[in-house]
Amino acid sequence: MKNIFLTIITGIFVMSCSDYLDVVPDNVPVIEHAFLDRTGTERYLATCYTYLPYFSNPNGDAAILGSDEFYCVEDPYYNGIAGNYYGLKVRRGEQNTNSPLFNVWDGLNNGRAMFRALRDCNLFLENIYNVGADLSEAETRQWAAEVKYLKAFYHYYLLINYGPIPLQKVSLPISANSEEVRVYRDPFDECVDYIATLLDEAIPDLPSAIQIRSTDMGHITRPIAAALKAKLLVFAASPLFNGNPDFAGLKDNRQTALFTATEDKSKWTRAVEACKQAIDEAALGGHDFYEFTKYPNISDSTKRLMSLRSVVTDRWNKEIIWSADRYTMYDYQRASTPFFFGSQSTWMPTDPWLCATLATVEMFYSNHGVPIDEDIEFADRNRWYNPTPAPADHKFFIKPGYETALINIDRETRFYANLAFDGCVWFGNGRYKDPGQGAESEQSWVLKTKAGEENGKRSSMRYAMTGYYIRKSSHYESASPSQSSNVIIPSTFPLIRLADIYLLYAEALNESKSAPDAEVYEYIDKVRERAGLPGVVESWREWSKYPSKPTTQEGMREIIQRERMIELAFEGVRYWDIRRWKTAYDLLNKPIQGLNPNGATTQDYNNVVTYEIPNFTTKEYLSPIRQYNIRVNANLVQNPYWE
């Protein structure tokens, strides 16, 4: 089978958008011609894939700039690659109903046209069985299953953006009258059931793993479909959609309630079953935790750091359940990787303007595996940003003796795998030996990020504004071998990876039980063990001010939520998680802070600066439907509080 994404080059890339639901095909006279033979059918299959949103791209993914994990240098120069800063505007409360940002309903303002995608998926499913002998029965079933998955995903993506949506089960005929086109939004639970049914139909006809990796990576597999079902049902069971009083009054003009008014705990039980199925399918498909093995002579500390860092960027590694070739992270990587020579700031081998906020810096655990404000040995909050010499035993993370912020010392390995800061050691990117090994030019970089220094602010652009670079997004082989050369290595950005499903399973189990038990702890502890941390019960018993926290459902809920925010940091997950948990109102109204990028001395640099205060209100838990659509279709009802 040809690579699905190479066939896209043939030109069947539909870029137009609709004013409402584009349910009347514009290519009816020739649609049958697209399914005359195997080649035409494969091209149409490729078309169905082209609508996938631009995840991992600051331009097309609201979950990057719209998340409180990120901040950036905001300059007109970056308008194109930053998508006119629409993500920042969403976070600042500038979303609107006249011209919504990241409008995936219509395909406007950096949004992909999901209803057009559903139309093409329906047309594919309605015609693939007419191809004839040129397409084998096995391929027919598999390709149909792939498109059923895509149809499920496009519905799912609309659902997490808007809540209840008009389900697109079949294509409307060209003869449809105006009343048939004026569709209603279907109740949320009906939407969930329909998407789950599509996935159940797809799973049996999908392969457990891709057999020809050189050409077929990116096609849908059984583990992908099972994982999406798990995410769907966890989302549906979460507080945002499970008996949320904020949505209880939403009804259409038939007086049909679009949300249930009461919480249904059985939704968590259903989610448990889906998560376990996803874990089992992942195991059958050969998925497991990623391990960095490229350089066997490095220290165990560096190996663990690189395993935690490269799980995102090492192409098609075994932990990635779903990705696609288009998610190269090229723009994301260029936007977040520092210069390694100060002279490079004049010719842009990378273009660092995206960085991490102090909210993210403070989120990671101490080296004891508990929050730093709970750790009985960690410093008081008022000392976190005091300049402090790094101890000798940190040599694989920070240059010994280098004065850096105290908060950078005695942290878990994921802190160092995700973040880079003043005085940190950076393995890879042209240097592949640990400190003390080989020539100095081969040893890990040491970043110096104060104003005027090699990796700091040297102009009004291209620096980490908060003082913290995002290391996780940089491929370790993207190299700066000299002051005048640079190579950016493409990577595959994980849309779903194994650790995500493990943590969803732990969350669903915790919510389905009256109190946590060994079954709840098992899969979160697997994730922590890979990160070099003890299990939650041991860590909290030995090191936390609140040793009994993992023994209650509420305490364990907080632990699991934080574990997800740490493990999946900078992967576009937090944006959606804090919405479904209904914690966004608290988190997205806190100040966005960083260190002082203009500080040339250690003392001045390590002062905390507030850049802005986001503005998140209850209505922004759901995206607004464009007001034009409400006007032309009186059967649609706007989302709560957007009137």
Side-chain angles (χ1 to χ4, degrees):
M1 186 182 296
K2 297 178 182 177
N3 188 322
I4 194 84
F5 299 103
L6 291 180
T7 63
I8 293 172
I9 300 173
T10 61
I12 312 178
F13 197 122
V14 182
M15 295 297 293
S16 60
C17 59
S18 64
D19 283 337
Y20 167 53
L21 295 181
D22 191 355
V23 292
V24 180
D26 53 14
N27 55 350
V28 167
V30 296
I31 190 64
E32 293 180 357
H33 296 174
F35 296 91
L36 287 175
D37 55 24
R38 184 184 183 281
T39 300
T41 305
E42 188 176 19
R43 288 175 176 172
Y44 210 106
L45 174 62
T47 297
C48 293
Y49 274 89
T50 62
Y51 294 99
L52 289 171
Y54 291 118
F55 297 118
S56 85
N57 191 317
N59 187 312
D61 190 355
I64 296 183
L65 290 183
S67 170
D68 60 337
E69 297 171 295
F70 300 89
Y71 200 60
C72 66
V73 176
E74 194 171 356
D75 188 281
Y77 173 81
Y78 297 120
N79 274 347
I81 54 178
N84 295 305
Y85 301 99
Y86 284 166
L88 288 185
K89 292 176 181 178
V90 169
R91 194 172 70 191
R92 291 168 179 166
E94 297 178 29
Q95 183 62 283
N96 67 93
T97 59
N98 287 329
S99 183
L101 309 175
F102 299 105
N103 179 357
V104 298
W105 190 287
D106 301 301
L108 301 171
N109 292 335
N110 296 355
R112 303 288 287 150
M114 295 292 101
F115 283 111
R116 181 176 287 273
L118 290 170
R119 185 203 68 177
D120 279 343
C121 288
N122 282 331
L123 289 172
F124 183 93
L125 293 171
E126 291 159 9
N127 286 276
I128 186 173
Y129 299 101
N130 300 326
V131 176
D134 192 34
L135 186 65
S136 71
E137 182 180 349
E139 278 188 317
T140 298
R141 289 198 307 269
Q142 181 177 334
W143 290 5
E146 289 183 42
V147 174
K148 284 181 182 178
Y149 173 87
L150 293 171
K151 183 176 174 180
F153 176 78
Y154 296 138
H155 274 106
Y156 163 81
Y157 197 62
L158 283 163
L159 193 76
I160 63 176
N161 274 278
Y162 299 101
I165 55 172
L167 292 172
Q168 301 298 290
K169 297 181 179 181
V170 296
S171 299
L172 286 182
I174 194 170
S175 59
N177 60 41
S178 60
E179 287 305 312
E180 290 175 299
V181 172
R182 293 192 179 99
V183 295
Y184 286 91
R185 298 173 71 178
D186 291 288
F188 181 82
D189 287 347
E190 291 183 19
C191 294
V192 171
D193 289 343
Y194 178 68
I195 298 169
T197 298
L198 279 174
L199 294 168
D200 286 339
E201 291 176 1
I203 286 172
D205 293 325
L206 293 168
S208 287
I210 296 299
Q211 300 302 313
I212 308 175
R213 294 176 61 87
S214 61
T215 58
D216 289 354
M217 294 304 289
H219 284 270
I220 305 304
T221 62
R222 289 171 66 108
I224 295 171
L228 182 63
K229 182 181 176 183
K231 291 179 78 73
L232 165 74
L233 295 183
V234 167
F235 215 103
S238 297
L240 182 63
F241 291 129
N242 192 357
N244 182 357
D246 296 327
F247 299 161
L250 186 63
K251 298 180 181 180
D252 61 25
N253 59 18
R254 302 169 299 181
Q255 294 305 299
T256 299
L258 299 183
F259 289 100
T260 54
T262 56
E263 182 182 9
D264 182 357
K265 282 289 187 181
S266 70
K267 291 181 179 181
W268 283 112
T269 303
R270 188 182 181 193
V272 166
E273 295 169 355
C275 290
K276 185 60 170 68
Q277 179 188 9
I279 290 171
D280 292 343
E281 290 287 0
L284 290 171
H287 295 284
D288 201 351
F289 280 140
Y290 168 79
E291 183 179 0
F292 184 81
T293 58
K294 181 70 177 288
Y295 298 95
N297 296 324
I298 57 178
S299 67
D300 289 342
S301 295
T302 302
K303 286 179 185 176
R304 174 170 285 122
L305 184 153
M306 292 302 296
S307 293
L308 295 166
R309 169 187 169 187
S310 300
V311 65
V312 167
T313 55
D314 206 353
R315 286 178 62 81
W316 303 117
N317 70 74
K318 63 182 178 180
E319 187 166 337
I320 295 177
I321 294 175
W322 185 31
S323 185
D325 263 337
R326 71 160 58 182
Y327 303 123
T328 65
M329 291 183 67
Y330 181 83
D331 287 334
Y332 185 3
Q333 189 174 173
R334 278 185 55 87
S336 52
T337 304
F339 299 127
F340 291 99
F341 297 97
S343 61
Q344 291 179 330
S345 63
T346 62
W347 60 273
M348 300 183 306
T350 61
D351 206 356
W353 55 274
L354 192 63
C355 54
T357 63
L358 293 193
T360 314
V361 171
E362 296 173 5
M363 176 184 67
F364 288 90
Y365 292 138
S366 71
N367 57 354
H368 297 140
V370 298
I372 56 177
D373 56 355
E374 289 187 28
D375 192 312
I376 57 176
E377 289 193 350
F378 207 81
D380 294 335
R381 180 178 288 272
N382 59 7
R383 296 173 49 212
W384 285 357
Y385 295 98
N386 289 352
T388 306
D393 64 1
H394 278 52
K395 68 176 182 178
F396 300 114
F397 304 135
I398 313 174
K399 181 178 175 62
Y402 195 101
E403 280 202 319
T404 191
L406 178 60
I407 199 170
N408 300 330
I409 298 171
D410 290 331
R411 304 301 296 277
E412 61 160 315
T413 305
R414 286 178 296 191
F415 175 86
Y416 303 108
N418 278 268
L419 300 166
F421 50 85
D422 192 33
C424 79
V425 170
W426 181 302
F427 177 89
N429 301 81
R431 297 188 176 186
Y432 302 102
K433 292 190 176 180
D434 274 327
Q437 290 185 346
E440 185 175 351
S441 62
E442 299 175 300
Q443 297 173 26
S444 298
W445 306 88
V446 175
L447 297 197
K448 299 177 181 179
T449 62
K450 292 184 284 293
E453 293 185 325
E454 291 288 286
N455 319 107
K457 182 178 180 180
R458 300 169 67 88
S459 69
S460 62
M461 302 162 58
R462 307 186 190 106
Y463 63 99
M465 194 169 184
T466 62
Y468 285 86
Y469 287 100
I470 303 166
R471 190 190 313 228
K472 193 180 199 176
S473 56
S474 174
H475 194 285
Y476 66 94
E477 290 182 325
S478 292
S480 291
S482 70
Q483 297 189 31
S484 59
S485 61
N486 191 71
V487 177
I488 301 292
I489 300 296
S491 58
T492 43
F493 183 75
L495 303 182
I496 306 174
R497 63 180 174 95
L498 189 62
D500 186 355
I501 303 304
Y502 279 4
L503 294 174
L504 287 179
Y505 187 41
E507 179 181 354
L509 283 167
N510 186 60
E511 297 298 337
S512 67
K513 297 174 181 283
S514 58
D517 56 18
E519 191 178 25
V520 174
Y521 303 137
E522 180 182 1
Y523 280 88
I524 186 174
D525 284 352
K526 286 178 184 289
V527 174
R528 290 170 63 87
E529 181 181 11
R530 192 263 294 272
L533 298 175
V536 291
V537 173
E538 179 184 348
S539 291
W540 261 260
R541 182 182 64 237
E542 299 296 328
W543 300 106
S544 174
K545 298 173 185 176
Y546 313 106
S548 64
K549 193 172 184 177
T551 66
T552 68
Q553 186 188 59
E554 293 78 11
M556 197 61 200
R557 178 184 301 135
E558 184 180 324
I559 290 170
I560 292 169
Q561 289 181 359
R562 189 165 189 141
E563 193 74 35
R564 283 186 62 78
M565 290 190 287
I566 290 171
E567 175 65 27
L568 303 169
F570 307 116
E571 296 180 40
V573 176
R574 178 183 173 109
Y575 178 91
W576 297 109
D577 273 352
I578 64 177
R579 281 163 171 75
R580 69 179 178 86
W581 295 329
K582 285 194 71 179
T583 58
Y585 186 86
D586 294 325
L587 295 172
L588 295 183
N589 284 303
K590 291 182 177 179
I592 300 294
Q593 296 181 316
L595 301 183
N596 175 21
N598 298 310
T601 68
T602 303
Q603 195 65 46
D604 288 344
Y605 178 77
N606 285 286
N607 283 324
V608 174
V609 176
T610 296
Y611 292 107
E612 69 178 40
I613 307 234
N615 181 26
F616 185 92
T617 59
T618 301
K619 68 182 181 181
E620 287 158 307
Y621 278 111
L622 295 178
S623 296
I625 299 170
R626 187 164 62 126
Q627 197 59 40
Y628 173 82
N629 294 335
I630 305 293
R631 288 199 304 269
V632 299
N633 179 9
N635 294 334
L636 287 178
V637 59
Q638 182 60 275
N639 273 328
Y641 316 115
W642 282 105
E643 298 293 348

